[in-house]
Amino acid sequence: MNTSDSTNSLPPKHVPRPLGTPPPLPPAPPAAAGTKKTYLHSEPDQPLASHSSTDDAPAERRSWTELYPRILRWTGALLLAIAALSFLVSGWVNGSPLLRTGSFLGFTALLSGAGIFCTYRWREDKGARTFLALATAFLPANFAQLGALIYAQMHGSMAYRVGLKKVFTFEPVGLTPLLATIGISLIVLIPLAYTGFSALARNGAKKMTALFLVGNALLLLPWRDGDLVAGLAALLVTGLIVADRVWFSRGASLKTWDGVAMRSLLFAPVGLLVIRNLCMHPMSEGLMCFILTAGALLLFSGLPRCLPLSGLRIASQSFSYPLMLGAWIVAVDACLPLHHLSDTIILPVLLLPWCLGLFGLSFKSEGKGIALRGIASILMLMTCLLNISVLGEDGYLPSIIGLLTALALLLVAFVLEERTVLLAGAATLIFTVGYHLHLAFSFVQQNLWISLAVAGTSIILASSYLERNGGGLRQRAQRVRHRLKSWH
């Protein structure tokens, strides 16, 4: 018997697996060629924008078959938006209120249905997201129409301003048809909202849907007082900002283009609420203050996040500062009418708090905050100089305000170690002290012997002090000069 043959015929020896090592997994079956799984919403572990393999392909490999569909999608979305705006402005003006409301509701539902059709029938996700995003964006217009029906039922169509009455107003339809319309609309709109948010921002779909519906619910309220609308809008914007910082801004999937778009869409009901009151009802100081504040907040914090260049971000924030000043002036006039204030404090009350706000915003601004702090300190200097020059003879209040401003600028300059703020504070102090010396000179002309006696005594005391402490003062001056060289 051959030993080698018997050895080769034996089964292979089993090698024991080390303790703790997992067993090998069976090989996965090969995927069928040409199959692609399409999701209505984004996958849990990656953003929705990364589904298409063409997005990762180099730019030179992209052909017209990839570019043209994108152009067509944007063109179609633009045409649908124009069609919706045309319907709201001029379409079906002579139709009944229920027909207008039902037509636009059906149009919104049709867009959402087209998105679902693209997903489950054609297995195409980009067109589906486009349709669903448009349907979700049109939801505030549907709620605004329901709000117009409620307002007409409670106040009548003549409560609107005459200018836009024919286009955007509704006639009363009766309580029973109104309740039925509201019920049917909510049954349709709430699922549409959740479908849209789950398709484009799955991780925050439930919370976003709830916040979006709360904002749209404000459009149903039958009150149009400007101050009330401004207060409700301010509360809603504050809540949305806090919710965005706590829930949405930290998720990686909500930082994609789709996620940012849906996060921005949460503010659409607030914008429509304000625009409706602005166009169709009397303006109030509270509403004007909110509009200016919201515009400043958008230019300072919202828009710079979408701009790629630092120069554009700085320009956007620069345009927000005049809006902040306008909002502050309107707020002061609403709380303390300007014609009731003394002339000696109007200018400081209007400008100095705004300059303090610029100081605070300089630590959050784009670029170098030292430039903004320098501009704010120079504006404070000019405010004090103008106030003292024009109204200094009306009392001591302008000079006292200037002295306090100078001391505050000097304190901030030594804390932040900034030369521009120091120079502005020193200039304010010199001008204020000079104004007091001017008053003292006027007193001297009236009481010459007392002034000469005080001046002679002060000069002798100053000479004695310099003779005794001249060396120490020189060393202190040198230390201050070396310290100032290291300042910004």
Side-chain angles (χ1 to χ4, degrees), residues 297-369:
L297 183 62
L298 177 64
L299 291 176
F300 185 84
S301 181
L303 185 59
R305 297 182 181 181
C306 304
L307 298 176
L309 300 179
S310 177
L312 295 177
R313 293 193 291 268
I314 294 176
S316 176
Q317 292 182 345
S318 300
F319 285 115
S320 69
Y321 304 140
L323 295 181
M324 296 177 188
L325 177 60
W328 172 248
I329 293 176
V330 173
V332 171
D333 187 50
C335 300
L336 298 172
L338 297 180
H339 60 275
H340 291 166
L341 296 178
S342 174
D343 294 338
T344 57
I345 64 172
I346 288 181
L347 200 60
V349 167
L350 293 181
L351 294 182
L352 291 182
W354 175 60
C355 294
L356 291 177
L358 295 183
F359 262 99
L361 293 175
S362 65
F363 298 98
K364 298 292 185 179
S365 61
E366 184 72 21
K368 296 182 179 180

Side-chain angles (χ1 to χ4, degrees), residues 374 377 406 409-414 417-429 480 484 487-488:
S377 60
L409 287 174
L410 292 175
L411 178 61
V412 172
F414 278 96
E417 297 184 350
E418 295 182 0
R419 298 178 187 176
T420 306
V421 181
L422 176 65
L423 293 176
T428 307
L429 181 62
V480 171
L484 290 178
W487 284 17
H488 303 291

Side-chain angles (χ1 to χ4, degrees), residues 365-388:
S365 61
E366 184 72 21
K368 296 182 179 180
I370 184 175
L372 183 58
R373 288 191 291 272
I375 294 174
S377 60
I378 293 174
L379 290 175
M380 296 176 74
L381 166 64
M382 295 176 62
T383 301
C384 294
L385 296 188
L386 183 61
N387 196 40
I388 293 175

Side-chain angles (χ1 to χ4, degrees), residues 170-189:
F170 290 83
E171 298 292 337
V173 296
L175 184 59
T176 301
L178 175 62
L179 295 178
T181 303
I182 294 175
I184 295 173
S185 300
L186 293 179
I187 292 174
V188 176
L189 295 176

